[in-house]
Amino acid sequence: MSLETPPPLDKLLMSPPFQRCRHEAARTANDPAALSSLLEKVAAHEFGIGPLPDTQGGIDIDIACAVVDAHIADLTGGTTTNPVADARCRLVVAALHYLVDMNDVIPDNLPSGHVDDVAVMRWATRVARGEVPAE
């Protein structure tokens, strides 16, 4: 596998690192303090190329963070969310955990260590927008 191209998305989503992030998301999805801490890690995270800005290619980290911010507001405000929204949020939280995980499929300290993260975040953006099912 080239470090320039991420593995296919289905392999990334089934990889042990992403599965670990899904478990972490399930554990933290209803903990406002843990979610706030995750958002702080996302804002501070750097890759081998430095910070990863939103791109025209559609990763929209801000959309993923806004989904988590809204979920935190629901949790702290006592608002009940629907199961589909909760499932989407857990997948977005898993993707954000993956984004800041230094031990993902392509280590972030490598110059091309961001390509797998970009692929996962593009997928998470589509999940957040409701373009793909929350499975």
Side-chain angles (χ1 to χ4, degrees), residues 5 12 25 30 36 38 45 47 58-59 62 65 68 71 86-87 94 98 103 106 123 133:
T5 305
L12 279 173
N30 291 315
S36 294
L38 174 61
H45 190 68
F47 297 84
I59 63 169
D62 290 343
C65 291
V68 175
H71 186 65
D86 285 346
Y98 188 87
N103 297 310
I106 303 174
W123 168 80

Side-chain angles (χ1 to χ4, degrees), residues 28-133:
T28 62
N30 291 315
D31 181 345
L35 293 173
S36 294
S37 176
L38 174 61
L39 293 178
E40 289 172 12
K41 289 176 186 173
V42 168
H45 190 68
E46 292 195 8
F47 297 84
I49 60 168
L52 185 65
D54 284 351
T55 68
Q56 288 184 325
I59 63 169
D60 297 321
I61 295 170
D62 290 343
I63 289 173
C65 291
V67 167
V68 175
D69 277 332
H71 186 65
I72 292 170
D74 287 347
L75 291 172
T76 57
T79 304
T80 305
T81 58
N82 70 52
V84 172
D86 285 346
R88 288 188 192 291
C89 185
R90 278 192 308 279
L91 291 174
V92 169
V93 169
L96 290 173
H97 276 292
Y98 188 87
L99 183 72
V100 298
D101 187 348
M102 293 302 290
N103 297 310
D104 57 17
V105 173
I106 303 174
D108 293 348
N109 60 343
L110 297 175
S112 59
H114 65 287
V115 295
D116 59 323
D117 300 277
V118 168
V120 168
M121 289 308 302
R122 284 184 178 155
W123 168 80
T125 298
R126 292 180 61 217
V127 166
R129 291 179 174 157
E131 296 171 7
V132 295

